[in-house]
Amino acid sequence: MTQRYELHDDSNGLWSVIDRFTGWPARWQGIPQTGLDYFDADDLTDLLNLLDERRRAKGKPESGGLK
């Protein structure tokens, strides 16, 4: 499964989390996730990808279900 969010080096010592599907900065509670230090951006990228993976998995039938 393609991960939706990725780190982006802003080339000024700061980092952003980018939504690969839209090309725009990811938003958390309405706030664009830009201008972050590396460790915060990396952790947030992992968290957002995990939440997105779980959300997408809910829309799929469970394996071993009715055929």
Side-chain angles (χ1 to χ4, degrees):
M1 182 182 300
T2 302
Q3 290 193 324
R4 181 169 185 163
Y5 300 97
E6 65 183 7
L7 282 174
H8 179 265
D9 184 350
D10 293 340
S11 300
N12 60 359
L14 299 174
W15 295 78
S16 296
V17 180
I18 301 298
D19 181 334
R20 294 177 64 192
F21 295 177
T22 66
W24 292 89
R27 291 182 165 270
W28 181 257
Q29 297 183 347
I31 300 169
Q33 297 304 298
T34 60
L36 305 170
D37 72 40
Y38 174 81
F39 296 106
D40 288 342
D42 186 51
D43 287 346
L44 183 59
T45 299
D46 291 342
L47 174 64
L48 290 175
N49 279 320
L50 177 64
L51 293 172
D52 182 62
E53 184 179 318
R54 287 183 178 178
R55 180 192 59 78
R56 288 197 269 169
K58 283 184 179 182
K60 296 180 181 176
E62 295 180 12
S63 61
L66 296 175
K67 296 184 184 198

